[in-house]
Amino acid sequence: MATAKTALSTFRALRVFREWDGNCRPEIVTRSVAELPPDDLLIDVKYSSLNYKDALSATGAPGVTRDYPHTPGIDAVGSVLESNTDQYQIGDIVIVTGFRLGMDRDGGFGQRIRVPAHWAVRKPKGLSLNESMILGTAGLTAALCIEKLTKLGMSPDGGPVVVTGSTGGVGSCAIGLLSHLGYEVHAVTGKTIQQEFLRSLGAQVIYTREEFMEGSQRALLREAWGGVVDTVGGEMLMHAIKGLRYGCSAAACGLVSSPMFPGSVFPFILRNVNLLGVDSAETPTAERARIWERLASNWKFPQLDQLQSRYNLETVMSGIDKLMKGEMVGRGVVELVP
């Protein structure tokens, strides 16, 4: 086993404890590296990011994290301190997102993590450590949505692309990326005060939720969209599908509104449209690496920096609170550098 001489035996982490009454209590603690489970890589985490799953884990939501105390953080970037595999060497900078990190494996809200080698990908040269976590799971998911849509024929001349949940992590990354790639982007948001933010990312038309949902009782709507990136689920997803142009597709990657899918088969049969499910948590490593390279090169959009709000271990719970209240805009980046 290769080990960095500078590896510290202790590190700081946000630890969430479940109390006897079921409530969760966060606390910043000092932990020993020896407490982490054995695995291929020990990583010195420099940055993490805030995601909805982190908020659920930190507040004890059912079905996310079973065993407490626990360290959330489904995203991490940092340098390899120990390696049990020839795939990575000491000092390699790697990105870890998804799989079980921050859910049933202590995650990126701690300065050290241990993970299997196949959870990691090398950070592309075109992204800084900070930029990789501005993107994180949200940026990876947005890119997977857009790639899947383009494989089924979505193109800039095929009509506007509508993005729901547009001020959130996936939504804001999708707008920036689509705009960069030359698409006309239409955004749906419940945060009317964020219209200037959305326009700065490249959204050309902005709908309130109420405006967008007009005519929701109809089986079909006027053909409007050349594609849909949906982060919301429920009735809004179905409504967007009703307005797809013939032969076009919707990519669904979220369910913050509802996991249910209320609707009929009319759009699918009469308009020949497609509903595409997108998951980033279990995306194979080779696919992740390829998408990260794209996000660091021709898919790196110029509005990246304006997406971020900065947090550290002392302030991260304020970001969790914003996420739970639906007040987070863009991406929260958590700095763990001492």
Side-chain angles (χ1 to χ4, degrees):
M1 177 178 70
T3 305
K5 294 180 179 178
T6 57
L8 298 176
S9 60
T10 61
F11 64 96
R12 298 175 74 235
L14 178 75
R15 204 80 170 137
V16 179
F17 298 84
R18 191 189 288 278
E19 305 287 25
W20 64 270
D21 59 0
N23 291 322
C24 286
R25 171 178 57 84
E27 182 180 342
I28 299 171
V29 302
T30 298
R31 303 190 69 200
S32 168
V33 168
E35 296 176 52
L36 297 174
D39 224 315
D40 298 328
L41 303 176
L42 174 66
I43 298 170
D44 175 21
V45 180
K46 300 299 185 184
Y47 295 91
S48 183
S49 66
L50 278 166
N51 300 276
Y52 190 58
K53 280 184 181 177
D54 300 322
L56 296 176
S57 176
T59 55
V64 179
T65 298
R66 285 184 293 181
D67 298 322
Y68 290 85
H70 174 69
T71 298
I74 67 170
D75 293 346
V77 64
S79 59
V80 174
L81 294 175
E82 295 177 1
S83 176
N84 290 330
T85 172
D86 293 336
Q87 186 178 353
Y88 293 104
Q89 306 301 316
I90 303 305
D92 285 348
I93 306 298
V94 295
I95 298 170
V96 184
T97 62
F99 294 104
R100 300 303 298 172
L101 185 72
M103 297 179 71
D104 57 22
R105 174 68 65 97
D106 286 333
F109 295 174
Q111 293 173 322
R112 302 285 186 274
I113 57 173
R114 271 207 176 102
V115 298
H118 76 274
W119 287 14
V121 299
R122 283 183 173 80
K123 181 189 71 65
K125 292 181 180 178
L127 288 174
S128 68
L129 279 77
N130 181 61
E131 287 173 333
S132 72
M133 288 295 98
I134 298 175
L135 290 165
T137 286
L140 178 64
T141 303
L144 287 167
C145 287
I146 292 165
E147 182 174 74
K148 205 166 190 178
L149 288 165
T150 57
K151 283 181 177 179
L152 283 184
M154 188 179 78
S155 65
D157 59 3
V161 179
V162 66
V163 179
T164 67
S166 56
T167 61
V170 178
S172 57
C173 287
I175 291 172
L177 179 52
L178 285 164
S179 175
H180 175 62
L181 295 176
Y183 288 85
E184 178 183 339
V185 186
H186 293 193
V188 184
T189 182
K191 301 181 178 71
T192 56
I193 62 172
Q194 297 297 336
Q195 291 199 20
E196 187 58 38
F197 169 73
L198 293 171
R199 292 192 190 282
S200 73
L201 296 180
Q204 293 171 267
V205 177
I206 300 169
Y207 304 93
T208 65
R209 291 172 186 160
E210 294 74 21
E211 289 170 341
F212 185 72
M213 293 298 292
E214 286 181 4
S216 58
Q217 73 281 359
R218 301 174 192 160
L220 286 172
L221 300 170
R222 177 181 61 86
E223 294 183 46
W225 320 119
V228 174
V229 176
D230 177 74
T231 73
V232 174
E235 292 183 359
M236 188 168 289
L237 170 59
M238 188 62 221
H239 189 74
I241 289 170
K242 293 176 187 178
L244 277 171
R245 294 185 177 185
Y246 189 90
C248 293
S249 305
C253 63
L255 41 71
V256 293
S257 173
S258 172
M260 305 306 293
F261 185 65
S264 74
V265 297
F266 281 121
F268 301 99
I269 294 174
L270 300 180
R271 295 265 177 87
N272 194 37
V273 301
N274 309 288
L275 174 59
L276 312 174
V278 176
D279 164 70
S280 64
E282 299 291 333
T283 301
T285 305
E287 180 76 356
R288 291 168 182 264
R290 186 179 61 78
I291 294 293
W292 277 111
E293 288 292 343
R294 295 193 80 173
L295 287 167
S297 53
N298 60 315
W299 279 21
K300 184 176 181 181
F301 52 94
Q303 310 95 322
L304 196 57
D305 189 62
Q306 69 195 60
L307 290 180
Q308 71 171 325
S309 302
R310 299 296 290 270
Y311 297 89
N312 54 35
L313 287 182
E314 283 72 24
T315 61
V316 68
M317 286 307 299
S318 66
I320 294 291
D321 186 56
K322 281 188 174 183
L323 278 167
M324 293 304 291
K325 292 178 178 177
E327 297 174 354
M328 178 68 75
V329 173
R331 296 286 289 144
V333 176
V334 184
E335 185 173 6
L336 290 103
V337 182

